[in-house]
Structures are given as structure tokens and as C-alpha cells.
Amino acid sequence: MGAGVRELGGFLAALGGWVAALAAAVLPQWRQSSYAGDAIITAVGLHEGLWMSCAAQSTGQVQCRLHDSLLSLDVHIQMSRALMVISLLLGFFGIIMSVVGMKCTKVGEEDPVTKSRIAVAGGVLFVLSGLCSLAAVSLYATQVTYEFFRESTVPINARYEFGSSLFTGWGAASLSMLGGSLLCCSCPAKERRGQQYHRQSQPSMSQEFV
């Protein structure tokens, strides 16, 4: 696989991960009503996310409400919010640096070594973005699991379990880290630098002998 193809594939994977992380952060399906147990209640389905909670009725009507107070939220929601915001910011700057540093673009520096270093920096930002998304989603999922098995007095069909946004967040983190790792592989080797220096110095030496 050529360096340019590897960079392009890594960028597309990381970009897809960033878009998926944005969708996961915005959507309210971080946890949803559990339909386990004998008495299944399907009239109203409850969904909760980082920014709002929604109630979906069997008629198709959906009502959502934003979380009113920031300080009254649980600690795991506040931490997941902060980690997702940091992840999206890191991914945004990673997109900019990757576009500038990739060999297939004409943006920024023309020196291939400098562009490769910029692409590697963008890959590092994508990896960090994926780690933040992974930490946010895993922290929230751990809390959902703990509350599901802890509340023994609450009926199972009144508890919460994993929502689709958690799986979207895990997929986004995997894509971001995979794409960032591929971008990091574009780091220039010392041998290539030596070859470039040899090619540049060879014409000047031949002119001296003439």
C-alpha cells in the first residue's frame, strides 16, 4: 500500500469516526427503557442522552426536553459531556492538519518531510479524539450497567439499558483511532531524507568536475 493511499484511507476512516462521534454526542439514545421481563410496557419508550431526554409514544409522537440544570446532573453525565466535547474539538483540528499534511493535497508546505510531519500530528489528534470518545462512552455504559443490576427493587421493565448512541460512539472511537494510526504511519524515514539529500547534492558535484 502506497503512502498516499494509506494517508487517504486513514483520513477517510478518521473523518467517518468524527462524524459518527458528532452524531453520537447529539442523539439522545445513550440509554433507553429496558424491555426485559415478563410484563413488557411498550406504550411509552424513554430515551436519555447527554443533552436531553425523550419520550416516544406508541402513536409515533416524540417529546424531548433539554436538561435544565448543569450542576444537578450526575457526575458521569458531566464527565461524558466534557470528554465528547474535547473529542470533537481534537477531531476538528485533526481534520485541518491532516488536509494540510497529506501528500495528495496542495495546501500548505510543499516540502514532503514537513507535510508528513503535519499529517502525523493530525493522526495523533485523531487518536486522542478516539480515546476521549472511548472513555466517554465506556464511562456512561459502566454507570448504566451498574444501575441496571443495583436497583433490585425497581422492575426490570422500568430500568434502563444501552442505547444505540453507545454503540455508535464505540464505532466512532474505533474508526478515529484506526484512521489516526494510519496517518501516523506516514512519518518520513531517515533513509528517505538521506536519499533526498544525495539527489540534491549529486548535480552540484557533477558540475564541479566539468
Side-chain angles (χ1 to χ4, degrees), residues 109-189:
E109 295 286 341
E110 297 182 358
D111 184 14
V113 176
T114 304
K115 287 181 71 69
S116 297
R117 291 176 178 174
I118 296 175
V120 170
V124 172
L125 291 178
F126 276 126
V127 172
L128 294 176
S129 174
L131 289 175
C132 289
S133 298
L134 180 63
V137 175
S138 300
L139 176 64
Y140 197 98
T142 302
Q143 185 65 26
V144 172
T145 305
Y146 172 74
E147 292 179 356
F148 184 87
F149 291 103
R150 179 189 60 128
E151 298 177 355
S152 58
T153 59
V154 180
I156 294 180
N157 54 13
R159 303 178 192 178
Y160 289 93
E161 57 185 34
F162 294 170
S164 58
S165 294
L166 293 181
F167 300 100
T168 304
W170 278 316
S174 301
L175 285 176
S176 296
M177 290 188 289
L178 175 61
S181 300
L182 291 176
L183 288 171
C184 290
C185 293
S186 61
C187 182

Side-chain angles (χ1 to χ4, degrees), residues 9-87:
F11 174 74
L12 293 178
L15 180 62
W18 186 81
V19 173
L22 178 62
V26 173
L27 294 176
Q29 285 85 10
W30 281 64
R31 66 174 187 172
Q32 62 185 10
S33 301
S34 176
Y35 296 105
D38 298 331
I40 300 177
I41 301 175
T42 59
V44 179
L46 301 178
H47 305 275
E48 289 190 7
L50 299 180
W51 313 98
M52 67 181 69
S53 57
C54 298
Q57 300 181 3
S58 58
T59 57
Q61 184 179 4
V62 179
Q63 296 179 345
C64 296
R65 177 183 179 184
L66 295 173
H67 297 315
D68 297 330
S69 176
L70 174 64
L71 299 179
S72 63
L73 293 175
D74 296 333
V75 177
H76 72 281
I77 298 180
Q78 297 182 18
M79 293 184 64
S80 297
R81 270 187 177 186
L83 288 171
M84 289 303 296
V85 171
I86 294 173
S87 172

